[in-house]
Amino acid sequence: MKWETLMAYEEDIKSRSFWDWIKAHTSFMKPLHRYDGVLELTEQKLAFTGRDVKEKKEFKLEVEIGNITDIHFGFDDVFTGWEDRAAPWNKPLRVRYKSKEVEKTIYLFANFHHKYGMRTSDNKEVFEKLKSLLKRE
């Protein structure tokens, strides 16, 4: 399964600028993110291929399903409802994973779009798919 996706690392959210926050609260703009690309889920891995919009260069991330340690659909203490104009409707998907013995956290907005004038995404669908893949591990 594939989705056009916006992504940010936990560090990107924590270090966002005031201007980033303003853009995330403007109706026609997108939620906080640093990477724009395609998310692909397979039985073996989560793969993101796209661009770092800040550095203006290509970006690729692959995480084996077995390295995912936690998933969460909704706001948390880092990506709070304060960070997105569409809270509580447009909830981020948080994925924590092990990478070289270090835990990393990413936030996703899969297929970000507007529905009935509201900002939304397919994060609930991706969350359910990830949950089913993790049960198989």
Side-chain angles (χ1 to χ4, degrees):
M1 300 180 83
K2 290 184 180 184
W3 298 266
E4 291 287 324
T5 300
L6 305 174
M7 187 191 95
Y9 280 97
E10 179 176 8
E11 299 79 31
D12 299 322
I13 303 303
K14 287 180 174 179
S15 65
R16 61 113 175 113
S17 68
F18 180 69
W19 179 242
D20 293 333
W21 185 87
I22 291 292
K23 289 190 296 187
H25 283 77
T26 304
S27 294
F28 60 89
M29 301 298 274
K30 298 175 182 177
L32 284 173
H33 68 285
R34 178 164 178 172
Y35 306 93
D36 194 341
V38 175
L39 175 72
E40 182 177 8
L41 281 181
T42 68
E43 301 273 329
Q44 297 80 28
K45 67 182 177 183
L46 173 154
F48 179 90
T49 306
R51 289 191 55 76
D52 177 333
V53 296
K54 192 173 184 181
E55 300 284 328
K56 296 184 178 20
K57 62 182 182 182
E58 299 302 308
F59 176 82
K60 186 171 183 157
L61 171 69
E62 287 190 3
V63 178
E64 291 189 27
I65 296 298
N67 288 337
I68 295 175
T69 59
D70 179 59
I71 57 173
H72 174 73
F73 174 59
F75 296 99
D76 62 13
D77 59 338
V78 174
F79 203 119
T80 66
W82 174 251
E83 299 297 347
D84 192 78
R85 180 180 194 276
W89 305 281
N90 190 34
K91 298 173 186 168
L93 174 59
R94 181 186 73 207
V95 177
R96 288 193 173 129
Y97 64 95
K98 287 265 190 200
S99 174
K100 300 177 185 169
E101 303 306 315
V102 174
E103 189 169 73
K104 296 191 176 191
T105 303
I106 56 173
Y107 293 89
L108 305 168
F109 287 97
N111 189 29
F112 171 77
H113 61 284
H114 290 81
K115 184 175 183 179
Y116 309 119
M118 298 296 296
R119 292 160 53 138
T120 190
S121 68
D122 291 348
N123 279 353
K124 178 81 170 161
E125 176 187 349
V126 177
F127 174 73
E128 294 299 332
K129 178 66 177 167
L130 266 173
K131 215 165 47 167
S132 71
L133 290 172
L134 290 170
K135 282 182 183 176
R136 294 180 193 168
E137 281 295 307

